[in-house]
């Protein structure tokens, strides 16, 4: 479906804030109900998940008390249970350039983080439980 570009927000996130929570706060504060974003910077510790397709649950694949670069963090914003929901994936690099990647979970603390958030308009995307995958996927949309 076709959407329109909405507002664009750029700023940095607070030192030692939780990366996922801070991104969610930006979206809620600005009422961004659909969109996408990118973040670069660094973290002081990380918690990335891996979705176990067999058992249909997230496992903590990378839980590290380690200073890492946010080589890339991208994701989208949509609605889940009527609330603004941020889905983010991150690739984090250590001092050797070795990378760890996965689904961004609570518990990843910011050292420095610069973001650009792009709002999309014209459609609402709603996440609902999908029995095939066990995930909350975009199963319903509403144009406006
Ligand atoms: Zn994910």
């Amino acid at each position: 479906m076709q959407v329109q570009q909405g507002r664009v927000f750029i700023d940095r996130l607070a030192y030692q804030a939780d990366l996922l929570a801070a991104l969610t706060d930006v979206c809620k504060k600005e009422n961004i109900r659909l969109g996408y974003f990118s973040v670069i910077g660094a973290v002081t510790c990380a918690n990335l998940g891996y979705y176990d397709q067999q058992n249909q649950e997230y496992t903590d694949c990378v839980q590290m008390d380690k200073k890492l670069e946010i080589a890339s963090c991208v994701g989208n914003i949509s609605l889940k249970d009527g609330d603004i929901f941020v889905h983010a994936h991150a690739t984090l690099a250590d001092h050797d350039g070795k990378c760890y990647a996965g689904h961004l979970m609570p518990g990843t603390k910011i050292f420095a983080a610069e973001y650009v958030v792009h709002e999309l308009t014209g459609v609402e995307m709603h996440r609902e439980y999908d029995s095939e995958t066990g995930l909350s996927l975009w199963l319903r949309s509403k144009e406006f």
Side-chain angles (χ1 to χ4, degrees):
M1 67 200 70
Q2 190 172 1
V3 295
Q4 288 81 49
Q5 289 280 352
R7 301 167 294 165
V8 181
F9 297 89
I10 185 166
D11 206 344
R12 71 182 182 93
L13 299 169
Y15 177 75
Q16 283 295 57
D18 183 279
L19 180 55
L20 183 60
L23 280 167
T24 302
D25 286 349
V26 168
C27 297
K28 287 188 173 177
K29 180 173 167 266
E30 302 296 346
N31 195 34
I32 303 164
R33 299 166 68 82
L34 184 68
Y36 63 99
F37 57 85
S38 67
V39 187
I40 57 170
V43 298
T44 55
C45 62
N47 190 18
L48 302 177
Y50 170 81
Y51 190 69
D52 181 336
Q53 297 177 11
Q54 189 91 37
N55 296 313
Q56 300 200 340
E57 61 181 9
Y58 281 99
T59 57
D60 295 325
C61 69
V62 178
Q63 214 165 8
M64 288 188 306
D65 201 10
K66 205 169 175 181
K67 293 163 179 56
L68 299 163
E69 295 285 322
I70 307 171
S72 175
C73 175
V74 295
N76 58 53
I77 305 139
S78 58
L79 300 173
K80 185 178 173 187
D81 302 321
D83 210 6
I84 291 169
F85 179 81
V86 170
H87 182 197
H89 286 191
T91 303
L92 306 174
D94 71 10
H95 60 284
D96 292 322
K98 185 177 167 195
C99 287
Y100 308 88
H103 176 99
L104 183 65
M105 306 282 256
T108 302
K109 298 277 185 238
I110 295 167
F111 180 75
E114 300 167 346
Y115 68 82
V116 184
V117 177
H118 298 256
E119 180 186 46
L120 298 172
T121 62
V123 173
E124 279 188 349
M125 300 297 284
H126 294 264
R127 292 185 177 279
E128 287 175 14
Y129 178 75
D130 173 60
S131 57
E132 266 178 343
T133 61
L135 292 166
S136 290
L137 299 179
W138 288 337
L139 294 184
R140 196 162 53 86
S141 60
K142 195 176 86 185
E143 295 188 40
F144 59 88

